[in-house]
Amino acid sequence: MCRGKRRENEERRQGRNMELNIAGRSSVVVMGLDGATIEKYPMTRIGDSGRLPDPNNNVCSICLSDYQPEDTLRTIPDCNHYFHAQCIDGWLRMNATCPLCRKLPHS
Ligand SMILES: [Zn+2]
Ligand SMILES: [Zn+2]
């Protein structure tokens, strides 16, 4: 009797943990943008010359690396800030704001 009750409690606890995990995951999806929206943002590829769309914006604010020739950038249309495509894609999936100015892009 006593043993059976303890097992029941453990099962209930594990079930609750699983629900928490699922709830946490779905709230992340709601916060960020979906892939189709991110894909609509214009991409720019830095050529061999390393020339940037804006010479004053030469460091990615997400990974803090300088932009290199051949890097692919993605621009947020509302504020014209750009970042490495792979950096901003990951960021926008979790946060629907520009990491530089925190402006909320139109979806
Ligand atoms: Zn980056
Ligand atoms: Zn911005």
Side-chain angles (χ1 to χ4, degrees):
M1 183 69 183
C2 194
R3 200 184 294 160
K5 203 169 190 179
R6 189 189 291 164
R7 189 181 300 158
E8 193 183 290
N9 279 341
E10 277 172 16
E11 274 169 16
R12 199 177 298 159
R13 206 180 304 141
Q14 280 171 359
R16 196 182 293 166
N17 278 344
M18 244 188 267
E19 276 169 35
L20 275 178
N21 283 341
I22 292 165
R25 214 174 293 154
S26 64
S27 74
V28 166
V29 171
V30 170
M31 292 281 296
L33 299 176
D34 58 50
T37 305
I38 298 170
E39 286 300 318
K40 283 186 205 143
Y41 291 175
M43 302 240 287
T44 311
R45 198 180 139 120
I46 304 176
D48 293 331
S49 63
R51 208 168 70 90
L52 294 162
D54 176 0
N56 296 319
N57 183 355
N58 56 1
V59 176
C60 173
S61 313
I62 299 171
C63 68
L64 304 176
S65 303
D66 291 349
Y67 297 122
Q68 304 292 330
E70 310 283 309
D71 277 355
T72 302
L73 312 177
R74 199 189 289 281
T75 304
I76 296 180
D78 292 78
C79 59
N80 278 323
H81 287 137
Y82 53 82
F83 310 89
H84 290 126
Q86 73 266 30
C87 294
I88 193 64
D89 287 10
W91 172 277
L92 287 175
R93 277 172 201 278
M94 312 233 266
N95 313 274
T97 53
C98 169
L100 258 186
C101 62
R102 305 275 160 179
K103 191 171 172 148
L104 200 72
H106 296 297
S107 47

